[in-house]
Amino acid sequence: MIAPSILSADFARLAEEAAAVGGADWLHVDVMDGHFVPNLTIGLPVVEALLRATDIPVDCHLMIDDPDRWAPGYADAGAHNVTVHVEAARDPVKIAKDLRAAGAKAGLSVKPGTPLEPYLELLDHYDTLLVMSVEPGFGGQEFIPEVLDKVRTAKRHELDVLVEIDGGINAETIVQAAEAGVDCFVAGSAVYGADDPARAVERLRALAAARKTGES
């Protein structure tokens, strides 16, 4: 699965940018509040507008303080998957229940420096695990390969979650991530920095699929 990140898109043309990746599996939307991460992007009103403008399932990644309070609103709005950070959540089990009750998949994310092992049991309540392969807050950062150990840990424990990775994904790093067992790849500049974003999505999907099936 490929989830283009609109963090690398033109914010003045979001509906057109979403249409440009019509073959994508999910559309990844980074919500940042300037507190949990040192950057400010968009919030619920823009997400609601984007949901009206695209049929692609919207994957909301909430890099915000107090997700216990704010996350359910994104599910209520119609987001397909809503991911919160374990570092910010007060009651991650309740958040997962609230998101699912509102009709969304529940996602849990960990920063590069956050170990996964203490939270393995929490993942029984979640549908997706988002492994950050850069420090959250800004696009265009370099991929941190060491985080792939978390992917391998999740797969080794046979957790019933879709494993997603976010940060520095391109034609080279997607191969490493696919080999580790990643199911869904968030790609920003590798898609929206290309001349043909839709073709870039298909190329990334083909590279990941080939590696997962053992093809060269």
Side-chain angles (χ1 to χ4, degrees), residues 110-113 131-136 141-152 165-169 173 176-177:
V110 289
K111 292 182 179 182
V131 175
M132 291 300 299
S133 43
V134 298
E135 287 297 331
Q141 298 182 64
E142 188 172 340
F143 182 80
I144 302 172
E146 289 79 9
V147 304
L148 294 177
D149 284 341
K150 297 177 192 177
V151 176
R152 298 184 187 100
I165 196 160
D166 182 5
I169 293 297
T173 57
Q176 302 174 49

mmCIF file with all atom_site columns, all heavy atoms in Angstrom, residues 110-113 131-136 141-152 165-169 173 176-177:
data_model
loop_
_atom_site.group_PDB
_atom_site.id
_atom_site.type_symbol
_atom_site.label_atom_id
_atom_site.label_alt_id
_atom_site.label_comp_id
_atom_site.label_asym_id
_atom_site.label_entity_id
_atom_site.label_seq_id
_atom_site.pdbx_PDB_ins_code
_atom_site.Cartn_x
_atom_site.Cartn_y
_atom_site.Cartn_z
_atom_site.occupancy
_atom_site.B_iso_or_equiv
_atom_site.pdbx_formal_charge
_atom_site.auth_seq_id
_atom_site.auth_comp_id
_atom_site.auth_asym_id
_atom_site.auth_atom_id
_atom_site.pdbx_PDB_model_num
ATOM 1   N N   . VAL A 1 110 ? 4.936  5.470  16.976 1.00 0.00 ? 110 VAL A N   1
ATOM 2   C CA  . VAL A 1 110 ? 6.078  5.632  17.879 1.00 0.00 ? 110 VAL A CA  1
ATOM 3   C C   . VAL A 1 110 ? 7.171  6.415  17.153 1.00 0.00 ? 110 VAL A C   1
ATOM 4   O O   . VAL A 1 110 ? 7.433  6.203  15.977 1.00 0.00 ? 110 VAL A O   1
ATOM 5   C CB  . VAL A 1 110 ? 6.647  4.275  18.356 1.00 0.00 ? 110 VAL A CB  1
ATOM 6   C CG1 . VAL A 1 110 ? 5.689  3.603  19.312 1.00 0.00 ? 110 VAL A CG1 1
ATOM 7   C CG2 . VAL A 1 110 ? 6.949  3.354  17.179 1.00 0.00 ? 110 VAL A CG2 1
ATOM 8   N N   . LYS A 1 111 ? 7.788  7.339  17.875 1.00 0.00 ? 111 LYS A N   1
ATOM 9   C CA  . LYS A 1 111 ? 8.904  8.107  17.337 1.00 0.00 ? 111 LYS A CA  1
ATOM 10  C C   . LYS A 1 111 ? 10.128 7.196  17.171 1.00 0.00 ? 111 LYS A C   1
ATOM 11  O O   . LYS A 1 111 ? 10.194 6.109  17.774 1.00 0.00 ? 111 LYS A O   1
ATOM 12  C CB  . LYS A 1 111 ? 9.262  9.246  18.297 1.00 0.00 ? 111 LYS A CB  1
ATOM 13  C CG  . LYS A 1 111 ? 8.227  10.345 18.430 1.00 0.00 ? 111 LYS A CG  1
ATOM 14  C CD  . LYS A 1 111 ? 8.764  11.413 19.388 1.00 0.00 ? 111 LYS A CD  1
ATOM 15  C CE  . LYS A 1 111 ? 7.812  12.565 19.572 1.00 0.00 ? 111 LYS A CE  1
ATOM 16  N NZ  . LYS A 1 111 ? 8.385  13.599 20.466 1.00 0.00 ? 111 LYS A NZ  1
ATOM 17  N N   . PRO A 1 112 ? 11.126 7.655  16.414 1.00 0.00 ? 112 PRO A N   1
ATOM 18  C CA  . PRO A 1 112 ? 12.324 6.822  16.211 1.00 0.00 ? 112 PRO A CA  1
ATOM 19  C C   . PRO A 1 112 ? 13.004 6.390  17.507 1.00 0.00 ? 112 PRO A C   1
ATOM 20  O O   . PRO A 1 112 ? 13.506 5.264  17.604 1.00 0.00 ? 112 PRO A O   1
ATOM 21  C CB  . PRO A 1 112 ? 13.232 7.729  15.377 1.00 0.00 ? 112 PRO A CB  1
ATOM 22  C CG  . PRO A 1 112 ? 12.299 8.598  14.621 1.00 0.00 ? 112 PRO A CG  1
ATOM 23  C CD  . PRO A 1 112 ? 11.162 8.864  15.566 1.00 0.00 ? 112 PRO A CD  1
ATOM 24  N N   . GLY A 1 113 ? 13.005 7.256  18.504 1.00 0.00 ? 113 GLY A N   1
ATOM 25  C CA  . GLY A 1 113 ? 13.702 6.926  19.741 1.00 0.00 ? 113 GLY A CA  1
ATOM 26  C C   . GLY A 1 113 ? 12.863 6.207  20.770 1.00 0.00 ? 113 GLY A C   1
ATOM 27  O O   . GLY A 1 113 ? 13.345 5.863  21.856 1.00 0.00 ? 113 GLY A O   1
ATOM 28  N N   . VAL A 1 131 ? 5.323  3.324  12.305 1.00 0.00 ? 131 VAL A N   1
ATOM 29  C CA  . VAL A 1 131 ? 6.711  3.459  12.750 1.00 0.00 ? 131 VAL A CA  1
ATOM 30  C C   . VAL A 1 131 ? 7.304  4.694  12.077 1.00 0.00 ? 131 VAL A C   1
ATOM 31  O O   . VAL A 1 131 ? 7.376  4.763  10.841 1.00 0.00 ? 131 VAL A O   1
ATOM 32  C CB  . VAL A 1 131 ? 7.526  2.202  12.391 1.00 0.00 ? 131 VAL A CB  1
ATOM 33  C CG1 . VAL A 1 131 ? 8.995  2.390  12.748 1.00 0.00 ? 131 VAL A CG1 1
ATOM 34  C CG2 . VAL A 1 131 ? 6.954  0.977  13.098 1.00 0.00 ? 131 VAL A CG2 1
ATOM 35  N N   . MET A 1 132 ? 7.719  5.653  12.872 1.00 0.00 ? 132 MET A N   1
ATOM 36  C CA  . MET A 1 132 ? 8.334  6.852  12.325 1.00 0.00 ? 132 MET A CA  1
ATOM 37  C C   . MET A 1 132 ? 9.792  6.568  11.987 1.00 0.00 ? 132 MET A C   1
ATOM 38  O O   . MET A 1 132 ? 10.563 6.125  12.840 1.00 0.00 ? 132 MET A O   1
ATOM 39  C CB  . MET A 1 132 ? 8.257  8.008  13.323 1.00 0.00 ? 132 MET A CB  1
ATOM 40  C CG  . MET A 1 132 ? 6.845  8.539  13.560 1.00 0.00 ? 132 MET A CG  1
ATOM 41  S SD  . MET A 1 132 ? 6.071  9.156  12.049 1.00 0.00 ? 132 MET A SD  1
ATOM 42  C CE  . MET A 1 132 ? 7.193  10.480 11.599 1.00 0.00 ? 132 MET A CE  1
ATOM 43  N N   . SER A 1 133 ? 10.155 6.830  10.730 1.00 0.00 ? 133 SER A N   1
ATOM 44  C CA  . SER A 1 133 ? 11.532 6.607  10.289 1.00 0.00 ? 133 SER A CA  1
ATOM 45  C C   . SER A 1 133 ? 12.294 7.920  10.109 1.00 0.00 ? 133 SER A C   1
ATOM 46  O O   . SER A 1 133 ? 13.383 7.948  9.540  1.00 0.00 ? 133 SER A O   1
ATOM 47  C CB  . SER A 1 133 ? 11.558 5.787  9.002  1.00 0.00 ? 133 SER A CB  1
ATOM 48  O OG  . SER A 1 133 ? 10.579 6.225  8.090  1.00 0.00 ? 133 SER A OG  1
ATOM 49  N N   . VAL A 1 134 ? 11.705 9.008  10.602 1.00 0.00 ? 134 VAL A N   1
ATOM 50  C CA  . VAL A 1 134 ? 12.373 10.297 10.785 1.00 0.00 ? 134 VAL A CA  1
ATOM 51  C C   . VAL A 1 134 ? 11.789 10.895 12.058 1.00 0.00 ? 134 VAL A C   1
ATOM 52  O O   . VAL A 1 134 ? 10.761 10.431 12.554 1.00 0.00 ? 134 VAL A O   1
ATOM 53  C CB  . VAL A 1 134 ? 12.135 11.271 9.605  1.00 0.00 ? 134 VAL A CB  1
ATOM 54  C CG1 . VAL A 1 134 ? 12.689 10.710 8.295  1.00 0.00 ? 134 VAL A CG1 1
ATOM 55  C CG2 . VAL A 1 134 ? 10.661 11.625 9.459  1.00 0.00 ? 134 VAL A CG2 1
ATOM 56  N N   . GLU A 1 135 ? 12.429 11.934 12.567 1.00 0.00 ? 135 GLU A N   1
ATOM 57  C CA  . GLU A 1 135 ? 11.840 12.640 13.709 1.00 0.00 ? 135 GLU A CA  1
ATOM 58  C C   . GLU A 1 135 ? 10.610 13.393 13.213 1.00 0.00 ? 135 GLU A C   1
ATOM 59  O O   . GLU A 1 135 ? 10.685 14.125 12.221 1.00 0.00 ? 135 GLU A O   1
ATOM 60  C CB  . GLU A 1 135 ? 12.841 13.616 14.326 1.00 0.00 ? 135 GLU A CB  1
ATOM 61  C CG  . GLU A 1 135 ? 13.957 12.948 15.103 1.00 0.00 ? 135 GLU A CG  1
ATOM 62  C CD  . GLU A 1 135 ? 13.458 12.161 16.307 1.00 0.00 ? 135 GLU A CD  1
ATOM 63  O OE1 . GLU A 1 135 ? 12.404 12.537 16.871 1.00 0.00 ? 135 GLU A OE1 1
ATOM 64  O OE2 . GLU A 1 135 ? 14.116 11.180 16.685 1.00 0.00 ? 135 GLU A OE2 1
ATOM 65  N N   . PRO A 1 136 ? 9.469  13.223 13.857 1.00 0.00 ? 136 PRO A N   1
ATOM 66  C CA  . PRO A 1 136 ? 8.256  13.870 13.359 1.00 0.00 ? 136 PRO A CA  1
ATOM 67  C C   . PRO A 1 136 ? 8.336  15.388 13.430 1.00 0.00 ? 136 PRO A C   1
ATOM 68  O O   . PRO A 1 136 ? 8.944  15.949 14.338 1.00 0.00 ? 136 PRO A O   1
ATOM 69  C CB  . PRO A 1 136 ? 7.167  13.321 14.287 1.00 0.00 ? 136 PRO A CB  1
ATOM 70  C CG  . PRO A 1 136 ? 7.875  12.883 15.522 1.00 0.00 ? 136 PRO A CG  1
ATOM 71  C CD  . PRO A 1 136 ? 9.228  12.424 15.070 1.00 0.00 ? 136 PRO A CD  1
ATOM 72  N N   . GLN A 1 141 ? 13.236 14.656 5.469  1.00 0.00 ? 141 GLN A N   1
ATOM 73  C CA  . GLN A 1 141 ? 14.363 14.205 6.286  1.00 0.00 ? 141 GLN A CA  1
ATOM 74  C C   . GLN A 1 141 ? 14.914 12.864 5.782  1.00 0.00 ? 141 GLN A C   1
ATOM 75  O O   . GLN A 1 141 ? 14.269 12.154 5.022  1.00 0.00 ? 141 GLN A O   1
ATOM 76  C CB  . GLN A 1 141 ? 13.923 14.050 7.741  1.00 0.00 ? 141 GLN A CB  1
ATOM 77  C CG  . GLN A 1 141 ? 13.457 15.328 8.415  1.00 0.00 ? 141 GLN A CG  1
ATOM 78  C CD  . GLN A 1 141 ? 13.099 15.076 9.870  1.00 0.00 ? 141 GLN A CD  1
ATOM 79  O OE1 . GLN A 1 141 ? 13.941 14.716 10.692 1.00 0.00 ? 141 GLN A OE1 1
ATOM 80  N NE2 . GLN A 1 141 ? 11.831 15.250 10.197 1.00 0.00 ? 141 GLN A NE2 1
ATOM 81  N N   . GLU A 1 142 ? 16.109 12.540 6.272  1.00 0.00 ? 142 GLU A N   1
ATOM 82  C CA  . GLU A 1 142 ? 16.769 11.303 5.859  1.00 0.00 ? 142 GLU A CA  1
ATOM 83  C C   . GLU A 1 142 ? 16.248 10.117 6.661  1.00 0.00 ? 142 GLU A C   1
ATOM 84  O O   . GLU A 1 142 ? 16.069 10.177 7.871  1.00 0.00 ? 142 GLU A O   1
ATOM 85  C CB  . GLU A 1 142 ? 18.281 11.447 6.039  1.00 0.00 ? 142 GLU A CB  1
ATOM 86  C CG  . GLU A 1 142 ? 19.084 10.288 5.460  1.00 0.00 ? 142 GLU A CG  1
ATOM 87  C CD  . GLU A 1 142 ? 20.574 10.538 5.487  1.00 0.00 ? 142 GLU A CD  1
ATOM 88  O OE1 . GLU A 1 142 ? 20.983 11.709 5.593  1.00 0.00 ? 142 GLU A OE1 1
ATOM 89  O OE2 . GLU A 1 142 ? 21.326 9.552  5.419  1.00 0.00 ? 142 GLU A OE2 1
ATOM 90  N N   . PHE A 1 143 ? 16.020 9.038  5.969  1.00 0.00 ? 143 PHE A N   1
ATOM 91  C CA  . PHE A 1 143 ? 15.512 7.790  6.540  1.00 0.00 ? 143 PHE A CA  1
ATOM 92  C C   . PHE A 1 143 ? 16.455 7.243  7.617  1.00 0.00 ? 143 PHE A C   1
ATOM 93  O O   . PHE A 1 143 ? 17.677 7.221  7.440  1.00 0.00 ? 143 PHE A O   1
ATOM 94  C CB  . PHE A 1 143 ? 15.376 6.787  5.399  1.00 0.00 ? 143 PHE A CB  1
ATOM 95  C CG  . PHE A 1 143 ? 14.811 5.448  5.776  1.00 0.00 ? 143 PHE A CG  1
ATOM 96  C CD1 . PHE A 1 143 ? 13.450 5.274  5.924  1.00 0.00 ? 143 PHE A CD1 1
ATOM 97  C CD2 . PHE A 1 143 ? 15.644 4.352  5.935  1.00 0.00 ? 143 PHE A CD2 1
ATOM 98  C CE1 . PHE A 1 143 ? 12.913 4.021  6.235  1.00 0.00 ? 143 PHE A CE1 1
ATOM 99  C CE2 . PHE A 1 143 ? 15.127 3.107  6.250  1.00 0.00 ? 143 PHE A CE2 1
ATOM 100 C CZ  . PHE A 1 143 ? 13.765 2.944  6.400  1.00 0.00 ? 143 PHE A CZ  1
ATOM 101 N N   . ILE A 1 144 ? 15.881 6.789  8.748  1.00 0.00 ? 144 ILE A N   1
ATOM 102 C CA  . ILE A 1 144 ? 16.651 6.196  9.844  1.00 0.00 ? 144 ILE A CA  1
ATOM 103 C C   . ILE A 1 144 ? 16.461 4.675  9.783  1.00 0.00 ? 144 ILE A C   1
ATOM 104 O O   . ILE A 1 144 ? 15.426 4.151  10.218 1.00 0.00 ? 144 ILE A O   1
ATOM 105 C CB  . ILE A 1 144 ? 16.178 6.732  11.210 1.00 0.00 ? 144 ILE A CB  1
ATOM 106 C CG1 . ILE A 1 144 ? 16.309 8.263  11.258 1.00 0.00 ? 144 ILE A CG1 1
ATOM 107 C CG2 . ILE A 1 144 ? 16.968 6.087  12.349 1.00 0.00 ? 144 ILE A CG2 1
ATOM 108 C CD1 . ILE A 1 144 ? 15.677 8.896  12.494 1.00 0.00 ? 144 ILE A CD1 1
ATOM 109 N N   . PRO A 1 145 ? 17.417 3.931  9.237  1.00 0.00 ? 145 PRO A N   1
ATOM 110 C CA  . PRO A 1 145 ? 17.206 2.495  9.011  1.00 0.00 ? 145 PRO A CA  1
ATOM 111 C C   . PRO A 1 145 ? 17.062 1.678  10.286 1.00 0.00 ? 145 PRO A C   1
ATOM 112 O O   . PRO A 1 145 ? 16.450 0.605  10.267 1.00 0.00 ? 145 PRO A O   1
ATOM 113 C CB  . PRO A 1 145 ? 18.449 2.069  8.223  1.00 0.00 ? 145 PRO A CB  1
ATOM 114 C CG  . PRO A 1 145 ? 19.483 3.107  8.523  1.00 0.00 ? 145 PRO A CG  1
ATOM 115 C CD  . PRO A 1 145 ? 18.733 4.381  8.730  1.00 0.00 ? 145 PRO A CD  1
ATOM 116 N N   . GLU A 1 146 ? 17.594 2.177  11.400 1.00 0.00 ? 146 GLU A N   1
ATOM 117 C CA  . GLU A 1 146 ? 17.536 1.410  12.647 1.00 0.00 ? 146 GLU A CA  1
ATOM 118 C C   . GLU A 1 146 ? 16.099 1.145  13.104 1.00 0.00 ? 146 GLU A C   1
ATOM 119 O O   . GLU A 1 146 ? 15.846 0.180  13.836 1.00 0.00 ? 146 GLU A O   1
ATOM 120 C CB  . GLU A 1 146 ? 18.302 2.148  13.758 1.00 0.00 ? 146 GLU A CB  1
ATOM 121 C CG  . GLU A 1 146 ? 19.811 2.148  13.588 1.00 0.00 ? 146 GLU A CG  1
ATOM 122 C CD  . GLU A 1 146 ? 20.294 3.180  12.572 1.00 0.00 ? 146 GLU A CD  1
ATOM 123 O OE1 . GLU A 1 146 ? 19.476 4.022  12.118 1.00 0.00 ? 146 GLU A OE1 1
ATOM 124 O OE2 . GLU A 1 146 ? 21.492 3.153  12.221 1.00 0.00 ? 146 GLU A OE2 1
ATOM 125 N N   . VAL A 1 147 ? 15.150 1.985  12.681 1.00 0.00 ? 147 VAL A N   1
ATOM 126 C CA  . VAL A 1 147 ? 13.771 1.793  13.142 1.00 0.00 ? 147 VAL A CA  1
ATOM 127 C C   . VAL A 1 147 ? 13.139 0.532  12.543 1.00 0.00 ? 147 VAL A C   1
ATOM 128 O O   . VAL A 1 147 ? 12.099 0.063  13.038 1.00 0.00 ? 147 VAL A O   1
ATOM 129 C CB  . VAL A 1 147 ? 12.882 3.016  12.816 1.00 0.00 ? 147 VAL A CB  1
ATOM 130 C CG1 . VAL A 1 147 ? 13.482 4.288  13.404 1.00 0.00 ? 147 VAL A CG1 1
ATOM 131 C CG2 . VAL A 1 147 ? 12.642 3.162  11.327 1.00 0.00 ? 147 VAL A CG2 1
ATOM 132 N N   . LEU A 1 148 ? 13.762 -0.019 11.527 1.00 0.00 ? 148 LEU A N   1
ATOM 133 C CA  . LEU A 1 148 ? 13.207 -1.235 10.921 1.00 0.00 ? 148 LEU A CA  1
ATOM 134 C C   . LEU A 1 148 ? 13.222 -2.403 11.885 1.00 0.00 ? 148 LEU A C   1
ATOM 135 O O   . LEU A 1 148 ? 12.474 -3.371 11.701 1.00 0.00 ? 148 LEU A O   1
ATOM 136 C CB  . LEU A 1 148 ? 13.965 -1.581 9.639  1.00 0.00 ? 148 LEU A CB  1
ATOM 137 C CG  . LEU A 1 148 ? 13.795 -0.568 8.497  1.00 0.00 ? 148 LEU A CG  1
ATOM 138 C CD1 . LEU A 1 148 ? 14.639 -0.971 7.298  1.00 0.00 ? 148 LEU A CD1 1
ATOM 139 C CD2 . LEU A 1 148 ? 12.328 -0.429 8.096  1.00 0.00 ? 148 LEU A CD2 1
ATOM 140 N N   . ASP A 1 149 ? 14.037 -2.325 12.938 1.00 0.00 ? 149 ASP A N   1
ATOM 141 C CA  . ASP A 1 149 ? 14.009 -3.366 13.971 1.00 0.00 ? 149 ASP A CA  1
ATOM 142 C C   . ASP A 1 149 ? 12.632 -3.426 14.637 1.00 0.00 ? 149 ASP A C   1
ATOM 143 O O   . ASP A 1 149 ? 12.178 -4.500 15.061 1.00 0.00 ? 149 ASP A O   1
ATOM 144 C CB  . ASP A 1 149 ? 15.089 -3.113 15.021 1.00 0.00 ? 149 ASP A CB  1
ATOM 145 C CG  . ASP A 1 149 ? 16.484 -3.475 14.519 1.00 0.00 ? 149 ASP A CG  1
ATOM 146 O OD1 . ASP A 1 149 ? 16.570 -4.240 13.526 1.00 0.00 ? 149 ASP A OD1 1
ATOM 147 O OD2 . ASP A 1 149 ? 17.472 -2.996 15.088 1.00 0.00 ? 149 ASP A OD2 1
ATOM 148 N N   . LYS A 1 150 ? 11.950 -2.261 14.741 1.00 0.00 ? 150 LYS A N   1
ATOM 149 C CA  . LYS A 1 150 ? 10.604 -2.248 15.327 1.00 0.00 ? 150 LYS A CA  1
ATOM 150 C C   . LYS A 1 150 ? 9.618  -2.973 14.418 1.00 0.00 ? 150 LYS A C   1
ATOM 151 O O   . LYS A 1 150 ? 8.707  -3.669 14.891 1.00 0.00 ? 150 LYS A O   1
ATOM 152 C CB  . LYS A 1 150 ? 10.144 -0.809 15.558 1.00 0.00 ? 150 LYS A CB  1
ATOM 153 C CG  . LYS A 1 150 ? 10.986 -0.035 16.550 1.00 0.00 ? 150 LYS A CG  1
ATOM 154 C CD  . LYS A 1 150 ? 10.491 1.389  16.663 1.00 0.00 ? 150 LYS A CD  1
ATOM 155 C CE  . LYS A 1 150 ? 11.485 2.241  17.423 1.00 0.00 ? 150 LYS A CE  1
ATOM 156 N NZ  . LYS A 1 150 ? 11.080 3.644  17.487 1.00 0.00 ? 150 LYS A NZ  1
ATOM 157 N N   . VAL A 1 151 ? 9.790  -2.790 13.123 1.00 0.00 ? 151 VAL A N   1
ATOM 158 C CA  . VAL A 1 151 ? 8.935  -3.504 12.172 1.00 0.00 ? 151 VAL A CA  1
ATOM 159 C C   . VAL A 1 151 ? 9.133  -5.005 12.332 1.00 0.00 ? 151 VAL A C   1
ATOM 160 O O   . VAL A 1 151 ? 8.168  -5.780 12.396 1.00 0.00 ? 151 VAL A O   1
ATOM 161 C CB  . VAL A 1 151 ? 9.250  -3.069 10.732 1.00 0.00 ? 151 VAL A CB  1
ATOM 162 C CG1 . VAL A 1 151 ? 8.421  -3.879 9.736  1.00 0.00 ? 151 VAL A CG1 1
ATOM 163 C CG2 . VAL A 1 151 ? 9.014  -1.569 10.550 1.00 0.00 ? 151 VAL A CG2 1
ATOM 164 N N   . ARG A 1 152 ? 10.377 -5.416 12.406 1.00 0.00 ? 152 ARG A N   1
ATOM 165 C CA  . ARG A 1 152 ? 10.682 -6.846 12.555 1.00 0.00 ? 152 ARG A CA  1
ATOM 166 C C   . ARG A 1 152 ? 10.125 -7.386 13.872 1.00 0.00 ? 152 ARG A C   1
ATOM 167 O O   . ARG A 1 152 ? 9.629  -8.519 13.936 1.00 0.00 ? 152 ARG A O   1
ATOM 168 C CB  . ARG A 1 152 ? 12.192 -7.058 12.473 1.00 0.00 ? 152 ARG A CB  1
ATOM 169 C CG  . ARG A 1 152 ? 12.791 -6.646 11.120 1.00 0.00 ? 152 ARG A CG  1
ATOM 170 C CD  . ARG A 1 152 ? 14.272 -6.954 11.045 1.00 0.00 ? 152 ARG A CD  1
ATOM 171 N NE  . ARG A 1 152 ? 14.856 -6.406 9.825  1.00 0.00 ? 152 ARG A NE  1
ATOM 172 C CZ  . ARG A 1 152 ? 15.554 -5.271 9.754  1.00 0.00 ? 152 ARG A CZ  1
ATOM 173 N NH1 . ARG A 1 152 ? 15.789 -4.575 10.862 1.00 0.00 ? 152 ARG A NH1 1
ATOM 174 N NH2 . ARG A 1 152 ? 16.019 -4.841 8.598  1.00 0.00 ? 152 ARG A NH2 1
ATOM 175 N N   . ILE A 1 165 ? 4.971  2.802  7.651  1.00 0.00 ? 165 ILE A N   1
ATOM 176 C CA  . ILE A 1 165 ? 6.214  3.520  7.929  1.00 0.00 ? 165 ILE A CA  1
ATOM 177 C C   . ILE A 1 165 ? 6.144  4.896  7.301  1.00 0.00 ? 165 ILE A C   1
ATOM 178 O O   . ILE A 1 165 ? 5.577  5.081  6.222  1.00 0.00 ? 165 ILE A O   1
ATOM 179 C CB  . ILE A 1 165 ? 7.451  2.735  7.436  1.00 0.00 ? 165 ILE A CB  1
ATOM 180 C CG1 . ILE A 1 165 ? 8.726  3.281  8.081  1.00 0.00 ? 165 ILE A CG1 1
ATOM 181 C CG2 . ILE A 1 165 ? 7.553  2.722  5.906  1.00 0.00 ? 165 ILE A CG2 1
ATOM 182 C CD1 . ILE A 1 165 ? 9.890  2.325  8.045  1.00 0.00 ? 165 ILE A CD1 1
ATOM 183 N N   . ASP A 1 166 ? 6.720  5.880  7.989  1.00 0.00 ? 166 ASP A N   1
ATOM 184 C CA  . ASP A 1 166 ? 6.593  7.273  7.563  1.00 0.00 ? 166 ASP A CA  1
ATOM 185 C C   . ASP A 1 166 ? 7.921  7.991  7.770  1.00 0.00 ? 166 ASP A C   1
ATOM 186 O O   . ASP A 1 166 ? 8.404  8.088  8.894  1.00 0.00 ? 166 ASP A O   1
ATOM 187 C CB  . ASP A 1 166 ? 5.491  7.950  8.385  1.00 0.00 ? 166 ASP A CB  1
ATOM 188 C CG  . ASP A 1 166 ? 5.256  9.398  7.981  1.00 0.00 ? 166 ASP A CG  1
ATOM 189 O OD1 . ASP A 1 166 ? 5.871  9.866  7.002  1.00 0.00 ? 166 ASP A OD1 1
ATOM 190 O OD2 . ASP A 1 166 ? 4.448  10.065 8.657  1.00 0.00 ? 166 ASP A OD2 1
ATOM 191 N N   . GLY A 1 167 ? 8.483  8.487  6.658  1.00 0.00 ? 167 GLY A N   1
ATOM 192 C CA  . GLY A 1 167 ? 9.676  9.323  6.752  1.00 0.00 ? 167 GLY A CA  1
ATOM 193 C C   . GLY A 1 167 ? 10.813 8.860  5.873  1.00 0.00 ? 167 GLY A C   1
ATOM 194 O O   . GLY A 1 167 ? 11.322 7.756  6.051  1.00 0.00 ? 167 GLY A O   1
ATOM 195 N N   . GLY A 1 168 ? 11.170 9.669  4.888  1.00 0.00 ? 168 GLY A N   1
ATOM 196 C CA  . GLY A 1 168 ? 12.325 9.360  4.059  1.00 0.00 ? 168 GLY A CA  1
ATOM 197 C C   . GLY A 1 168 ? 12.127 8.198  3.106  1.00 0.00 ? 168 GLY A C   1
ATOM 198 O O   . GLY A 1 168 ? 13.100 7.600  2.642  1.00 0.00 ? 168 GLY A O   1
ATOM 199 N N   . ILE A 1 169 ? 10.879 7.882  2.774  1.00 0.00 ? 169 ILE A N   1
ATOM 200 C CA  . ILE A 1 169 ? 10.627 6.755  1.869  1.00 0.00 ? 169 ILE A CA  1
ATOM 201 C C   . ILE A 1 169 ? 10.796 7.206  0.417  1.00 0.00 ? 169 ILE A C   1
ATOM 202 O O   . ILE A 1 169 ? 10.176 8.172  -0.026 1.00 0.00 ? 169 ILE A O   1
ATOM 203 C CB  . ILE A 1 169 ? 9.213  6.179  2.081  1.00 0.00 ? 169 ILE A CB  1
ATOM 204 C CG1 . ILE A 1 169 ? 9.113  5.521  3.470  1.00 0.00 ? 169 ILE A CG1 1
ATOM 205 C CG2 . ILE A 1 169 ? 8.859  5.173  0.998  1.00 0.00 ? 169 ILE A CG2 1
ATOM 206 C CD1 . ILE A 1 169 ? 10.037 4.333  3.665  1.00 0.00 ? 169 ILE A CD1 1
ATOM 207 N N   . THR A 1 173 ? 14.834 3.396  -0.197 1.00 0.00 ? 173 THR A N   1
ATOM 208 C CA  . THR A 1 173 ? 14.487 2.988  1.167  1.00 0.00 ? 173 THR A CA  1
ATOM 209 C C   . THR A 1 173 ? 13.233 2.120  1.218  1.00 0.00 ? 173 THR A C   1
ATOM 210 O O   . THR A 1 173 ? 13.062 1.337  2.155  1.00 0.00 ? 173 THR A O   1
ATOM 211 C CB  . THR A 1 173 ? 14.304 4.214  2.074  1.00 0.00 ? 173 THR A CB  1
ATOM 212 O OG1 . THR A 1 173 ? 13.297 5.074  1.512  1.00 0.00 ? 173 THR A OG1 1
ATOM 213 C CG2 . THR A 1 173 ? 15.606 4.994  2.200  1.00 0.00 ? 173 THR A CG2 1
ATOM 214 N N   . GLN A 1 176 ? 14.241 -1.520 1.452  1.00 0.00 ? 176 GLN A N   1
ATOM 215 C CA  . GLN A 1 176 ? 14.642 -1.952 2.795  1.00 0.00 ? 176 GLN A CA  1
ATOM 216 C C   . GLN A 1 176 ? 13.418 -2.156 3.685  1.00 0.00 ? 176 GLN A C   1
ATOM 217 O O   . GLN A 1 176 ? 13.331 -3.136 4.433  1.00 0.00 ? 176 GLN A O   1
ATOM 218 C CB  . GLN A 1 176 ? 15.541 -0.890 3.439  1.00 0.00 ? 176 GLN A CB  1
ATOM 219 C CG  . GLN A 1 176 ? 16.800 -0.545 2.681  1.00 0.00 ? 176 GLN A CG  1
ATOM 220 C CD  . GLN A 1 176 ? 17.508 0.628  3.353  1.00 0.00 ? 176 GLN A CD  1
ATOM 221 O OE1 . GLN A 1 176 ? 17.725 0.642  4.571  1.00 0.00 ? 176 GLN A OE1 1
ATOM 222 N NE2 . GLN A 1 176 ? 17.868 1.624  2.569  1.00 0.00 ? 176 GLN A NE2 1
ATOM 223 N N   . ALA A 1 177 ? 12.485 -1.199 3.610  1.00 0.00 ? 177 ALA A N   1
ATOM 224 C CA  . ALA A 1 177 ? 11.301 -1.275 4.467  1.00 0.00 ? 177 ALA A CA  1
ATOM 225 C C   . ALA A 1 177 ? 10.430 -2.468 4.102  1.00 0.00 ? 177 ALA A C   1
ATOM 226 O O   . ALA A 1 177 ? 9.889  -3.152 4.977  1.00 0.00 ? 177 ALA A O   1
ATOM 227 C CB  . ALA A 1 177 ? 10.506 0.022  4.369  1.00 0.00 ? 177 ALA A CB  1
#
